Structures are given as structure tokens and as C-alpha cells.
Amino acid sequence: MLERIKASLPSLAPAEQRVGKLVLADPRAFANLPVTELADRSHVSKPTVVRFCRSMGYDGLSDFKLKLAGSVSEGVPFIHRSVDVDDKTSDIAVKVIDNTVAAFLKYRNDASSFALEHAAQALAATQKTNRRIEFYGVGNSGIVAQDAQHKFFRLGVNAIAYSDGHMQVMSASMLKPGDCAVIISNSGRTRDLMDACDIAKKQGATTIVITASGSPLASAGHIHLTADHPEGYDKYSPMVSRLLHLLIIDILATTVALRIGEELQPNLRDMKNNLRSKRYT
């Protein structure tokens, strides 16, 4: 987006050029400042600021600022810089949060709605027929699998999670048609998860894989939900891939809950009331 603005500057009127240069000089500030201050800093009128935004193909200032904020979050400062031993806590906080937000925004822009809908339909069908949904993961992905079990259990789904490779293979061997196995892996190269996916598929279960594109696991399941976020292992880096996987699970769980409809509400209400009664006052 910033490159396009830079390339368009020569074709703009002088006043609009000043607005464009302000964007390029500090895109983060531009995305957060009110129109009055933007006009003052550019030495132009407020209508000129809006006119610049429209000349760039956006509906107005609000639309332009929204897209700019997303573009900046995916792009430059901090996002591609690792945390460093000399960083202050405030610097680390900004880097970790920006890196996470960038991953979420990238997923929002790149996610396949068809694959998500296909996966949600498969999970909802399994819930409707009271069949099993199993979640497999190892390491950080194992944590995501446990979280997924919790979310789907609340929906009245016969859900279970395994993070041990032997248990995954044994359990996959007992799946039947109508069951569903969700395999979660950042690298998509874990041998046990590959084996479990292959066995579940042979047993007739629907297999949903949440993993990086181009990995062996990506082509092993029936439905692939792409989750691309390479982690840097040369030094400490936040495990953003785990948060991305949790986000995908949230999307699926929310969609399935809406598919179940109003019949789910009494159960959720009873659960919350029973849990609330267990709390200390």
C-alpha cells in the first residue's frame, strides 16, 4: 500500500502530494490522528485530506485509515525484527503484540472461507450424529488440541484430545465413518501426527489438518486449513503459531455453535450457573 502511494505521488495535485508525503513519513501516526491534525501537519484543508484518500481508491478517510492500519501492522517496524536481549520491556511488549496482530491480519486476508466452511460443516455433522471428534497435536500444538477439546465439549460434542503419539495412533485406529479427526501441527512434519492422520483417513473418518502450506501433512487430510507462520529458532521468539491455531479453533467452534442454534443455549446456561456456584465468594 505504501509503495503504491509512493508511486502515485507524481500524478497527484501538489496539495494531495503533501498528504501522501505525510503518510509515507509516519504511516502509524497518520492511521491514528484526527483529520484536523492531519490537515494541519500537511498544510492543507480537511477536504484535501479526504480527496487524497479517494484519489488512492478508498471510500474516504475512515476507509483509508483502516486499510493503512492493517497494512502497517503486517509490515514494517518491529514486525520482522526479533526481540533482543537489550530490549526494554516496553519494546518487547510492542514487538510481541505487533507480531501477533500481524499474523492474525495476514490470516484474515489469506484464509480460505471455502475450507473453513467445509471444516465447520464436517464438525457440525459429526456433532449432529453424536459421533466422535478427536484433536491431535504435539508440543505447543498439543496445548491447542486440549483447548479445542474444551471448547467443543462445551457444545455437547463427544470430543477428546491426545498429545501422545502412541495414543493418537491407537485412538485413530478405532475411528469410524462419521467420526472426525483434527490434526494440528505448525511444521506439518511430525511422524506420529502423519501416521495418525493416515490411519484415521483409512478408517473412514473425516480428517481436518491445521498446518503450514506445502508441508507433508497439508496434503494428507481431507480438509486443509492453512496456518502459515514460521517461527525463528535462532533465539527466543514468541510462539505466535500457537495463537494462530487457537484462533482457527475459535472460528470453528463459534461456527459450529451457531449451526447448532438455540438448542445449545440451555446447556451453556446450566454450565455457567453450575460453574459459578463453585466459585469462592
Side-chain angles (χ1 to χ4, degrees), residues 176-214:
K176 304 293 182 185
D179 293 331
C180 192
V182 181
I183 301 95
I184 308 159
S185 173
N186 185 44
S187 69
R189 300 178 184 279
T190 305
R191 183 72 262 173
D192 287 340
L193 292 176
M194 290 286 296
D195 290 342
C197 182
D198 185 53
I199 293 168
K201 199 172 179 180
K202 288 178 180 177
Q203 292 297 109
T206 300
T207 52
I208 301 170
V209 296
I210 302 174
T211 191
S213 57

mmCIF file of all heavy atoms in Angstrom, residues 176-214:
data_model
loop_
_atom_site.group_PDB
_atom_site.id
_atom_site.type_symbol
_atom_site.label_atom_id
_atom_site.label_comp_id
_atom_site.label_asym_id
_atom_site.label_seq_id
_atom_site.Cartn_x
_atom_site.Cartn_y
_atom_site.Cartn_z
ATOM 1 N N LYS A 176 -14.335 -44.394 13.193
ATOM 2 C CA LYS A 176 -15.256 -44.985 12.223
ATOM 3 C C LYS A 176 -15.764 -43.900 11.277
ATOM 4 O O LYS A 176 -15.627 -42.700 11.547
ATOM 5 C CB LYS A 176 -16.449 -45.639 12.934
ATOM 6 C CG LYS A 176 -16.083 -46.684 13.979
ATOM 7 C CD LYS A 176 -15.450 -47.900 13.343
ATOM 8 C CE LYS A 176 -15.124 -48.967 14.407
ATOM 9 N NZ LYS A 176 -14.399 -50.102 13.810
ATOM 10 N N PRO A 177 -16.397 -44.295 10.169
ATOM 11 C CA PRO A 177 -17.034 -43.298 9.304
ATOM 12 C C PRO A 177 -18.038 -42.460 10.099
ATOM 13 O O PRO A 177 -18.793 -42.995 10.903
ATOM 14 C CB PRO A 177 -17.736 -44.155 8.245
ATOM 15 C CG PRO A 177 -16.909 -45.405 8.171
ATOM 16 C CD PRO A 177 -16.464 -45.658 9.586
ATOM 17 N N GLY A 178 -18.028 -41.179 9.878
ATOM 18 C CA GLY A 178 -18.868 -40.261 10.647
ATOM 19 C C GLY A 178 -18.101 -39.564 11.748
ATOM 20 O O GLY A 178 -18.524 -38.511 12.238
ATOM 21 N N ASP A 179 -16.952 -40.152 12.175
ATOM 22 C CA ASP A 179 -16.086 -39.502 13.148
ATOM 23 C C ASP A 179 -15.231 -38.445 12.434
ATOM 24 O O ASP A 179 -15.157 -38.405 11.207
ATOM 25 C CB ASP A 179 -15.171 -40.519 13.832
ATOM 26 C CG ASP A 179 -15.946 -41.492 14.711
ATOM 27 O OD1 ASP A 179 -17.009 -41.101 15.221
ATOM 28 O OD2 ASP A 179 -15.481 -42.634 14.878
ATOM 29 N N CYS A 180 -14.567 -37.625 13.228
ATOM 30 C CA CYS A 180 -13.742 -36.555 12.660
ATOM 31 C C CYS A 180 -12.454 -36.431 13.472
ATOM 32 O O CYS A 180 -12.482 -36.441 14.707
ATOM 33 C CB CYS A 180 -14.513 -35.243 12.688
ATOM 34 S SG CYS A 180 -13.758 -33.928 11.722
ATOM 35 N N ALA A 181 -11.323 -36.345 12.794
ATOM 36 C CA ALA A 181 -10.031 -36.139 13.445
ATOM 37 C C ALA A 181 -9.444 -34.816 12.974
ATOM 38 O O ALA A 181 -9.363 -34.563 11.768
ATOM 39 C CB ALA A 181 -9.070 -37.284 13.119
ATOM 40 N N VAL A 182 -9.059 -33.971 13.943
ATOM 41 C CA VAL A 182 -8.454 -32.673 13.633
ATOM 42 C C VAL A 182 -6.987 -32.746 14.057
ATOM 43 O O VAL A 182 -6.684 -32.916 15.245
ATOM 44 C CB VAL A 182 -9.165 -31.522 14.364
ATOM 45 C CG1 VAL A 182 -8.534 -30.180 13.997
ATOM 46 C CG2 VAL A 182 -10.661 -31.529 14.040
ATOM 47 N N ILE A 183 -6.086 -32.642 13.099
ATOM 48 C CA ILE A 183 -4.650 -32.784 13.366
ATOM 49 C C ILE A 183 -4.004 -31.410 13.249
ATOM 50 O O ILE A 183 -4.125 -30.735 12.220
ATOM 51 C CB ILE A 183 -3.996 -33.775 12.376
ATOM 52 C CG1 ILE A 183 -4.659 -35.157 12.493
ATOM 53 C CG2 ILE A 183 -2.509 -33.892 12.658
ATOM 54 C CD1 ILE A 183 -5.762 -35.400 11.508
ATOM 55 N N ILE A 184 -3.307 -31.002 14.308
ATOM 56 C CA ILE A 184 -2.754 -29.643 14.406
ATOM 57 C C ILE A 184 -1.231 -29.712 14.482
ATOM 58 O O ILE A 184 -0.679 -30.401 15.350
ATOM 59 C CB ILE A 184 -3.305 -28.926 15.653
ATOM 60 C CG1 ILE A 184 -4.839 -29.010 15.687
ATOM 61 C CG2 ILE A 184 -2.851 -27.481 15.697
ATOM 62 C CD1 ILE A 184 -5.437 -28.808 17.058
ATOM 63 N N SER A 185 -0.553 -29.011 13.599
ATOM 64 C CA SER A 185 0.911 -29.024 13.604
ATOM 65 C C SER A 185 1.439 -27.790 12.892
ATOM 66 O O SER A 185 0.977 -27.459 11.791
ATOM 67 C CB SER A 185 1.441 -30.285 12.907
ATOM 68 O OG SER A 185 2.846 -30.234 12.763
ATOM 69 N N ASN A 186 2.401 -27.099 13.499
ATOM 70 C CA ASN A 186 2.989 -25.936 12.847
ATOM 71 C C ASN A 186 3.863 -26.350 11.669
ATOM 72 O O ASN A 186 3.736 -25.819 10.565
ATOM 73 C CB ASN A 186 3.827 -25.128 13.843
ATOM 74 C CG ASN A 186 4.355 -23.831 13.219
ATOM 75 O OD1 ASN A 186 3.628 -23.131 12.537
ATOM 76 N ND2 ASN A 186 5.623 -23.527 13.446
ATOM 77 N N SER A 187 4.737 -27.330 11.874
ATOM 78 C CA SER A 187 5.648 -27.750 10.808
ATOM 79 C C SER A 187 4.970 -28.670 9.804
ATOM 80 O O SER A 187 5.329 -28.693 8.626
ATOM 81 C CB SER A 187 6.863 -28.466 11.403
ATOM 82 O OG SER A 187 6.486 -29.713 11.961
ATOM 83 N N GLY A 188 4.014 -29.479 10.278
ATOM 84 C CA GLY A 188 3.359 -30.450 9.405
ATOM 85 C C GLY A 188 4.270 -31.591 9.015
ATOM 86 O O GLY A 188 4.053 -32.261 7.996
ATOM 87 N N ARG A 189 5.277 -31.869 9.855
ATOM 88 C CA ARG A 189 6.252 -32.911 9.527
ATOM 89 C C ARG A 189 6.442 -33.935 10.649
ATOM 90 O O ARG A 189 7.335 -34.779 10.569
ATOM 91 C CB ARG A 189 7.606 -32.274 9.186
ATOM 92 C CG ARG A 189 7.531 -31.330 8.001
ATOM 93 C CD ARG A 189 8.863 -30.670 7.686
ATOM 94 N NE ARG A 189 8.722 -29.709 6.594
ATOM 95 C CZ ARG A 189 8.698 -30.027 5.307
ATOM 96 N NH1 ARG A 189 8.833 -31.298 4.957
ATOM 97 N NH2 ARG A 189 8.539 -29.108 4.382
ATOM 98 N N THR A 190 5.608 -33.871 11.678
ATOM 99 C CA THR A 190 5.748 -34.810 12.794
ATOM 100 C C THR A 190 5.266 -36.190 12.373
ATOM 101 O O THR A 190 4.127 -36.356 11.927
ATOM 102 C CB THR A 190 4.938 -34.321 14.010
ATOM 103 O OG1 THR A 190 5.361 -32.986 14.324
ATOM 104 C CG2 THR A 190 5.165 -35.223 15.211
ATOM 105 N N ARG A 191 6.128 -37.191 12.547
ATOM 106 C CA ARG A 191 5.842 -38.542 12.061
ATOM 107 C C ARG A 191 4.581 -39.127 12.682
ATOM 108 O O ARG A 191 3.729 -39.691 11.997
ATOM 109 C CB ARG A 191 7.041 -39.443 12.367
ATOM 110 C CG ARG A 191 6.953 -40.871 11.859
ATOM 111 C CD ARG A 191 7.099 -40.938 10.356
ATOM 112 N NE ARG A 191 5.824 -41.030 9.678
ATOM 113 C CZ ARG A 191 5.681 -40.958 8.353
ATOM 114 N NH1 ARG A 191 6.720 -40.758 7.596
ATOM 115 N NH2 ARG A 191 4.502 -41.067 7.803
ATOM 116 N N ASP A 192 4.449 -39.002 14.011
ATOM 117 C CA ASP A 192 3.285 -39.580 14.687
ATOM 118 C C ASP A 192 1.986 -38.960 14.194
ATOM 119 O O ASP A 192 0.976 -39.653 14.010
ATOM 120 C CB ASP A 192 3.399 -39.400 16.206
ATOM 121 C CG ASP A 192 4.444 -40.312 16.824
ATOM 122 O OD1 ASP A 192 4.794 -41.319 16.175
ATOM 123 O OD2 ASP A 192 4.908 -40.022 17.937
ATOM 124 N N LEU A 193 1.983 -37.644 13.986
ATOM 125 C CA LEU A 193 0.777 -36.982 13.507
ATOM 126 C C LEU A 193 0.453 -37.400 12.074
ATOM 127 O O LEU A 193 -0.722 -37.572 11.712
ATOM 128 C CB LEU A 193 0.933 -35.462 13.592
ATOM 129 C CG LEU A 193 0.999 -34.863 15.001
ATOM 130 C CD1 LEU A 193 1.249 -33.367 14.932
ATOM 131 C CD2 LEU A 193 -0.292 -35.137 15.768
ATOM 132 N N MET A 194 1.472 -37.563 11.269
ATOM 133 C CA MET A 194 1.272 -38.047 9.904
ATOM 134 C C MET A 194 0.653 -39.440 9.915
ATOM 135 O O MET A 194 -0.295 -39.726 9.166
ATOM 136 C CB MET A 194 2.607 -38.066 9.157
ATOM 137 C CG MET A 194 3.179 -36.706 8.830
ATOM 138 S SD MET A 194 2.290 -35.887 7.486
ATOM 139 C CE MET A 194 2.623 -37.014 6.134
ATOM 140 N N ASP A 195 1.189 -40.306 10.788
ATOM 141 C CA ASP A 195 0.663 -41.668 10.886
ATOM 142 C C ASP A 195 -0.786 -41.669 11.358
ATOM 143 O O ASP A 195 -1.630 -42.388 10.818
ATOM 144 C CB ASP A 195 1.520 -42.504 11.844
ATOM 145 C CG ASP A 195 2.895 -42.814 11.276
ATOM 146 O OD1 ASP A 195 3.073 -42.685 10.050
ATOM 147 O OD2 ASP A 195 3.795 -43.174 12.067
ATOM 148 N N ALA A 196 -1.079 -40.866 12.382
ATOM 149 C CA ALA A 196 -2.436 -40.808 12.928
ATOM 150 C C ALA A 196 -3.417 -40.305 11.872
ATOM 151 O O ALA A 196 -4.543 -40.821 11.753
ATOM 152 C CB ALA A 196 -2.475 -39.912 14.156
ATOM 153 N N CYS A 197 -3.009 -39.302 11.097
ATOM 154 C CA CYS A 197 -3.867 -38.771 10.044
ATOM 155 C C CYS A 197 -4.144 -39.838 8.993
ATOM 156 O O CYS A 197 -5.294 -40.024 8.555
ATOM 157 C CB CYS A 197 -3.207 -37.555 9.406
ATOM 158 S SG CYS A 197 -4.190 -36.767 8.110
ATOM 159 N N ASP A 198 -3.112 -40.550 8.601
ATOM 160 C CA ASP A 198 -3.256 -41.593 7.587
ATOM 161 C C ASP A 198 -4.177 -42.710 8.070
ATOM 162 O O ASP A 198 -5.047 -43.181 7.331
ATOM 163 C CB ASP A 198 -1.873 -42.153 7.236
ATOM 164 C CG ASP A 198 -1.936 -43.164 6.103
ATOM 165 O OD1 ASP A 198 -2.503 -42.832 5.041
ATOM 166 O OD2 ASP A 198 -1.432 -44.296 6.272
ATOM 167 N N ILE A 199 -4.019 -43.121 9.319
ATOM 168 C CA ILE A 199 -4.850 -44.191 9.878
ATOM 169 C C ILE A 199 -6.309 -43.748 9.984
ATOM 170 O O ILE A 199 -7.227 -44.486 9.619
ATOM 171 C CB ILE A 199 -4.315 -44.623 11.251
ATOM 172 C CG1 ILE A 199 -2.944 -45.287 11.095
ATOM 173 C CG2 ILE A 199 -5.281 -45.575 11.955
ATOM 174 C CD1 ILE A 199 -2.207 -45.488 12.409
ATOM 175 N N ALA A 200 -6.535 -42.525 10.502
ATOM 176 C CA ALA A 200 -7.903 -42.012 10.634
ATOM 177 C C ALA A 200 -8.595 -41.956 9.273
ATOM 178 O O ALA A 200 -9.778 -42.291 9.151
ATOM 179 C CB ALA A 200 -7.872 -40.627 11.271
ATOM 180 N N LYS A 201 -7.847 -41.567 8.261
ATOM 181 C CA LYS A 201 -8.397 -41.479 6.909
ATOM 182 C C LYS A 201 -8.777 -42.865 6.397
ATOM 183 O O LYS A 201 -9.861 -43.051 5.813
ATOM 184 C CB LYS A 201 -7.356 -40.822 5.997
ATOM 185 C CG LYS A 201 -7.896 -40.249 4.707
ATOM 186 C CD LYS A 201 -6.803 -39.467 3.999
ATOM 187 C CE LYS A 201 -7.306 -38.887 2.689
ATOM 188 N NZ LYS A 201 -6.245 -38.122 1.997
ATOM 189 N N LYS A 202 -7.910 -43.841 6.641
ATOM 190 C CA LYS A 202 -8.194 -45.207 6.202
ATOM 191 C C LYS A 202 -9.389 -45.805 6.932
ATOM 192 O O LYS A 202 -10.107 -46.653 6.396
ATOM 193 C CB LYS A 202 -6.965 -46.089 6.414
ATOM 194 C CG LYS A 202 -5.819 -45.800 5.449
ATOM 195 C CD LYS A 202 -4.608 -46.662 5.738
ATOM 196 C CE LYS A 202 -3.477 -46.357 4.756
ATOM 197 N NZ LYS A 202 -2.250 -47.145 5.065
ATOM 198 N N GLN A 203 -9.627 -45.346 8.165
ATOM 199 C CA GLN A 203 -10.759 -45.841 8.946
ATOM 200 C C GLN A 203 -12.081 -45.217 8.502
ATOM 201 O O GLN A 203 -13.139 -45.585 8.994
ATOM 202 C CB GLN A 203 -10.538 -45.546 10.435
ATOM 203 C CG GLN A 203 -9.407 -46.334 11.078
ATOM 204 C CD GLN A 203 -9.672 -47.825 11.065
ATOM 205 O OE1 GLN A 203 -9.029 -48.581 10.335
ATOM 206 N NE2 GLN A 203 -10.648 -48.265 11.861
ATOM 207 N N GLY A 204 -12.012 -44.265 7.598
ATOM 208 C CA GLY A 204 -13.220 -43.640 7.079
ATOM 209 C C GLY A 204 -13.613 -42.359 7.776
ATOM 210 O O GLY A 204 -14.665 -41.775 7.474
ATOM 211 N N ALA A 205 -12.800 -41.900 8.735
ATOM 212 C CA ALA A 205 -13.093 -40.655 9.438
ATOM 213 C C ALA A 205 -12.726 -39.462 8.554
ATOM 214 O O ALA A 205 -11.845 -39.553 7.698
ATOM 215 C CB ALA A 205 -12.322 -40.584 10.744
ATOM 216 N N THR A 206 -13.392 -38.339 8.768
ATOM 217 C CA THR A 206 -13.032 -37.099 8.081
ATOM 218 C C THR A 206 -11.827 -36.491 8.784
ATOM 219 O O THR A 206 -11.825 -36.361 10.007
ATOM 220 C CB THR A 206 -14.198 -36.092 8.108
ATOM 221 O OG1 THR A 206 -15.333 -36.674 7.451
ATOM 222 C CG2 THR A 206 -13.817 -34.800 7.406
ATOM 223 N N THR A 207 -10.800 -36.132 8.034
ATOM 224 C CA THR A 207 -9.586 -35.570 8.624
ATOM 225 C C THR A 207 -9.442 -34.101 8.233
ATOM 226 O O THR A 207 -9.501 -33.752 7.060
ATOM 227 C CB THR A 207 -8.339 -36.352 8.176
ATOM 228 O OG1 THR A 207 -8.327 -36.446 6.736
ATOM 229 C CG2 THR A 207 -8.341 -37.751 8.760
ATOM 230 N N ILE A 208 -9.261 -33.262 9.255
ATOM 231 C CA ILE A 208 -9.035 -31.832 9.070
ATOM 232 C C ILE A 208 -7.637 -31.523 9.580
ATOM 233 O O ILE A 208 -7.313 -31.842 10.728
ATOM 234 C CB ILE A 208 -10.072 -31.000 9.845
ATOM 235 C CG1 ILE A 208 -11.498 -31.331 9.377
ATOM 236 C CG2 ILE A 208 -9.791 -29.506 9.703
ATOM 237 C CD1 ILE A 208 -12.578 -30.738 10.251
ATOM 238 N N VAL A 209 -6.796 -30.938 8.751
ATOM 239 C CA VAL A 209 -5.425 -30.628 9.172
ATOM 240 C C VAL A 209 -5.242 -29.114 9.238
ATOM 241 O O VAL A 209 -5.624 -28.386 8.325
ATOM 242 C CB VAL A 209 -4.373 -31.275 8.236
ATOM 243 C CG1 VAL A 209 -4.461 -32.790 8.313
ATOM 244 C CG2 VAL A 209 -4.552 -30.822 6.791
ATOM 245 N N ILE A 210 -4.687 -28.659 10.353
ATOM 246 C CA ILE A 210 -4.356 -27.247 10.546
ATOM 247 C C ILE A 210 -2.835 -27.159 10.563
ATOM 248 O O ILE A 210 -2.186 -27.533 11.546
ATOM 249 C CB ILE A 210 -4.941 -26.716 11.865
ATOM 250 C CG1 ILE A 210 -6.468 -26.886 11.880
ATOM 251 C CG2 ILE A 210 -4.574 -25.250 12.067
ATOM 252 C CD1 ILE A 210 -7.107 -26.508 13.201
ATOM 253 N N THR A 211 -2.263 -26.705 9.467
ATOM 254 C CA THR A 211 -0.806 -26.733 9.340
ATOM 255 C C THR A 211 -0.353 -25.803 8.227
ATOM 256 O O THR A 211 -1.166 -25.198 7.529
ATOM 257 C CB THR A 211 -0.328 -28.173 9.071
ATOM 258 O OG1 THR A 211 1.096 -28.237 9.191
ATOM 259 C CG2 THR A 211 -0.738 -28.650 7.681
ATOM 260 N N ALA A 212 0.958 -25.716 8.070
ATOM 261 C CA ALA A 212 1.548 -24.826 7.066
ATOM 262 C C ALA A 212 1.324 -25.368 5.664
ATOM 263 O O ALA A 212 1.305 -26.585 5.438
ATOM 264 C CB ALA A 212 3.043 -24.670 7.335
ATOM 265 N N SER A 213 1.147 -24.456 4.723
ATOM 266 C CA SER A 213 1.002 -24.863 3.326
ATOM 267 C C SER A 213 2.319 -25.455 2.837
ATOM 268 O O SER A 213 3.401 -25.036 3.248
ATOM 269 C CB SER A 213 0.603 -23.670 2.460
ATOM 270 O OG SER A 213 1.560 -22.623 2.593
ATOM 271 N N GLY A 214 2.208 -26.446 1.979
ATOM 272 C CA GLY A 214 3.403 -27.077 1.420
ATOM 273 C C GLY A 214 4.023 -28.141 2.294
ATOM 274 O O GLY A 214 4.979 -28.809 1.881
#
